[in-house]
Amino acid sequence: MATAFIGLEAHPTWAKGRVACAIGTESRTSDRDDLLSKSNDRAFDNALVVELERILRIIPVNPGFKYVKDDNAFATDTTIVTGTTGTVLIGLKLVNELLKPDQGGVAVACVLAHECSHIFQFFSVNQYYERLEASTQRLRELHADLLAGFYMGKRMGAAAGAMRSVEKAMMDFGDYNNADPKDHGTPGQRSAALDKGYVFAMNGLKFDDAAIEGEKYVRVL
């Protein structure tokens, strides 16, 4: 569960396997010495654990979690924390930026759900990570956005105002580099994927059904 922040490290480095991220930029984090179990804010750490526990009740995964000093967030299929499967790496610089505006907390929740969705892609029996392989990361990233939107729908219900803030933050992560292998989708595509996931949740779909329908959706988005 989310309390695995402070578990034992099982591997000397985290970037041994597949890695996905929230923003289409290179990681500046490559060594386990950069991995942190706590930030400098106990209240934030406690709030993050609560949020992660909520996410894991919706997204069927069991990753470990670590902080990194980066302005991005990552998911890897490498297991760092003993007793977990895969790892989510939370960029402290990124979350500090996301927390500045009003509704910043829900934007952080969405990024965490996005990374947990990558963990789901890695280990799902439906092999979404492999099935969504293309010349860029766009399909994988939009699918993770959609599943994050699904989580936000379950988390917030009909709180449309907060969801607009989430979509604005995620749209800022979009790009127009459609030939770049790291392309994550345009701002409009990322917003549309989040919105579709939110609608799936509001319509009562189960998570696995949202993942199946989400794959179809992002392929034509």
Side-chain angles (χ1 to χ4, degrees):
M1 295 295 290
T3 51
F5 265 125
I6 55 175
L8 298 174
E9 292 184 12
H11 295 283
T13 61
W14 65 263
K16 285 186 172 182
R18 297 171 294 182
V19 178
C21 59
I23 308 171
T25 58
E26 294 290 346
S27 168
R28 291 195 295 275
T29 304
S30 59
D31 192 279
R32 74 169 181 170
D33 292 339
D34 293 319
L35 302 180
L36 304 170
S37 294
K38 299 178 182 180
S39 70
N40 292 322
D41 186 334
R42 180 178 295 181
F44 174 74
D45 291 345
N46 291 340
L48 203 66
V49 168
V50 170
E51 190 66 55
L52 291 167
E53 288 174 343
R54 286 194 193 118
I55 291 170
L56 301 191
R57 287 195 289 267
I58 301 297
I59 302 177
V61 292
N62 182 37
F65 297 90
K66 291 287 184 179
Y67 291 119
V68 289
K69 296 177 180 179
D70 207 306
D71 54 4
N72 208 336
F74 308 90
T76 173
D77 62 358
T78 299
T79 296
I80 295 172
V81 179
T82 300
T84 65
T85 303
T87 309
V88 171
L89 299 146
I90 303 163
L92 287 171
K93 294 178 182 177
L94 175 64
V95 296
N96 286 335
E97 285 300 311
L98 290 173
L99 286 171
K100 288 179 180 178
D102 292 341
Q103 304 291 347
V106 292
V108 171
C110 188
V111 168
L112 295 177
H114 175 100
E115 298 310 327
C116 287
S117 296
H118 282 310
I119 299 292
F120 172 76
Q121 291 172 343
F122 291 148
F123 297 106
S124 169
V125 295
N126 288 333
Q127 297 183 314
Y128 287 106
Y129 193 82
E130 290 76 16
R131 283 165 52 165
L132 292 166
E133 183 176 6
S135 60
T136 76
Q137 295 297 314
R138 179 178 296 197
L139 292 179
R140 291 167 174 164
E141 295 302 329
L142 293 177
H143 189 249
D145 283 342
L146 186 144
L147 296 179
F150 180 90
Y151 168 71
M152 298 308 294
K154 293 295 186 183
R155 180 190 189 274
M156 300 188 304
M163 192 60 191
R164 281 193 290 270
S165 297
V166 170
E167 290 186 4
K168 182 181 183 304
M170 296 302 284
M171 283 177 69
D172 289 343
F173 294 165
D175 62 70
Y176 293 96
N177 302 319
N178 61 356
D180 189 324
K182 300 185 294 296
D183 174 42
H184 280 38
T186 67
Q189 287 172 324
R190 299 201 72 169
S191 177
L194 281 167
D195 190 64
K196 179 60 75 171
Y198 185 88
V199 170
F200 282 163
M202 292 296 94
N203 288 344
L205 264 67
K206 295 181 180 179
F207 180 84
D208 286 342
D209 293 333
I212 292 169
E213 294 303 313
E215 179 185 357
K216 299 175 186 176
Y217 180 76
V218 300
R219 288 188 182 278
V220 298
L221 184 59

